[in-house]
Amino acid sequence: MHPQSSERRIQRIRHELRHREVTVANVQHLSADMVRITLSGETLADFVSLSFDDHVKFTLTTADGDTVRRDYTPVAFQAEACTLAIEFALHGHGVASSWARAAQPGQQAIISGPRGSMVIPQDYAWHLLVGDSSALPAIRRRLQELPIGAQVVAVVHGQPSTPPDSFACDDTLTMHWVSDADALLHTVAGLTLPDGEGFVWAAGEASSMRALRTLLLEAKQLPKHQMRVAAYWKQGSSDFHERLDD
């Protein structure tokens, strides 16, 4: 069993909702199925993102003239330069993936949010980060922000990608790349969680994340307050995002 937390608390902070017109400044392919697009514009001057778990709403128009909105993680924000990097998984032929695949500097875009931030303390004894390619941008940001010496295990279902920056926790990071959702669950099931109070953050396809949450609660006997599991997408659904807290 894992002892109940001490004084660590997750902070939930609300932000004023803003809609921002931005311009594509740079396009960088991180792997065959992941591209980082840097947006710029003076509308970003007051942009705030306090957590790797944040989301901005990307507004796109389809060929039929319909408006669609998709959630993406703000990976890196440079206040002085007024630039914001967002990473897109290039899977299938969805509206957002198609836009990102063809994006060129100078194109215009509209983003909104974040509406709020869930700030997870960084001083846990250990961190377990789990997800598929949709969660990789958030995992990458968390790894970038964790302090030197943080004990981290990451399990990712996706193609290995080369991050543009090194991580402060490189020397204490154990990275597992797996080939499918079953392998992701099998790998987590085989982990021995370290001693001390840790935190598990996970996101990905709905059914996979529900199975993972059950594994953490029952097989690993991890208390609810030491995890945050979210469904970023659902097989067969084009727009889906759900927290699995109940």
Side-chain angles (χ1 to χ4, degrees):
M1 295 288 291
H2 299 267
Q4 177 132 1
S5 171
S6 42
E7 301 178 352
R8 294 187 184 89
R9 293 289 183 270
I10 292 174
Q11 288 183 287
R12 300 183 186 276
I13 301 171
R14 302 295 297 176
H15 307 303
E16 179 184 356
L17 181 62
R18 292 283 308 278
H19 304 288
R20 296 176 170 87
E21 293 185 3
V22 291
T23 302
V24 175
N26 186 55
V27 179
Q28 179 184 10
H29 288 271
L30 304 179
S31 68
D33 61 358
M34 184 70 71
V35 62
R36 171 180 278 204
I37 295 179
T38 301
L39 307 169
S40 66
E42 293 192 3
T43 58
L44 292 168
D46 60 350
F47 182 83
V48 176
S49 175
L50 301 178
S51 173
F52 74 100
D53 189 64
D54 287 351
H55 290 90
V56 294
K57 190 77 72 174
F58 212 87
T59 301
L60 297 162
T61 303
T62 68
D64 298 329
D66 295 329
T67 298
V68 298
R69 295 175 177 84
R70 297 290 184 266
D71 289 325
Y72 284 92
T73 300
V75 177
F77 174 59
Q78 300 293 330
E80 292 186 6
C82 285
T83 60
L84 173 67
I86 296 176
E87 294 176 3
F88 294 78
L90 305 179
H91 49 73
H93 298 284
V95 176
S97 292
S98 297
W99 181 89
R101 193 176 285 111
Q104 297 291 329
Q107 283 183 239
Q108 302 299 303
I110 297 175
I111 62 171
S112 306
R115 286 181 177 273
S117 299
M118 187 182 78
V119 181
I120 301 171
Q122 296 186 357
D123 63 344
Y124 284 99
W126 51 269
H127 306 261
L128 174 58
L129 308 173
V130 184
D132 57 21
S133 58
S134 68
L136 187 54
I139 291 174
R140 196 192 312 283
R141 176 172 169 180
R142 182 62 162 175
L143 292 175
Q144 189 65 39
E145 294 177 349
L146 284 172
I148 293 173
Q151 300 295 316
V152 188
V153 176
V155 182
V156 181
H157 162 207
Q159 299 257 341
S161 59
T162 303
D165 308 296
S166 60
F167 304 133
C169 57
D170 269 347
D171 292 339
T172 52
L173 167 65
T174 301
M175 194 85 181
H176 300 274
W177 294 97
V178 299
S179 59
D180 55 43
D182 289 340
L184 183 143
L185 291 172
H186 180 75
T187 300
V188 174
L191 294 175
T192 299
L193 299 182
D195 293 333
E197 183 187 26
F199 194 89
V200 179
W201 182 91
E205 198 279 327
S207 61
S208 176
M209 290 300 104
R210 289 192 183 95
L212 175 66
R213 188 169 185 273
T214 298
L215 185 156
L216 293 171
L217 287 169
E218 297 181 0
K220 298 298 183 184
Q221 298 187 342
L222 194 72
K224 291 181 181 180
H225 69 268
Q226 286 181 235
M227 69 177 76
R228 198 280 198 198
V229 182
Y232 273 9
W233 62 285
K234 182 179 182 180
Q235 196 72 43
S237 177
S238 60
D239 187 14
F240 183 89
H241 192 117
E242 179 184 7
R243 284 173 48 187
L244 305 177
D245 290 343
D246 296 330

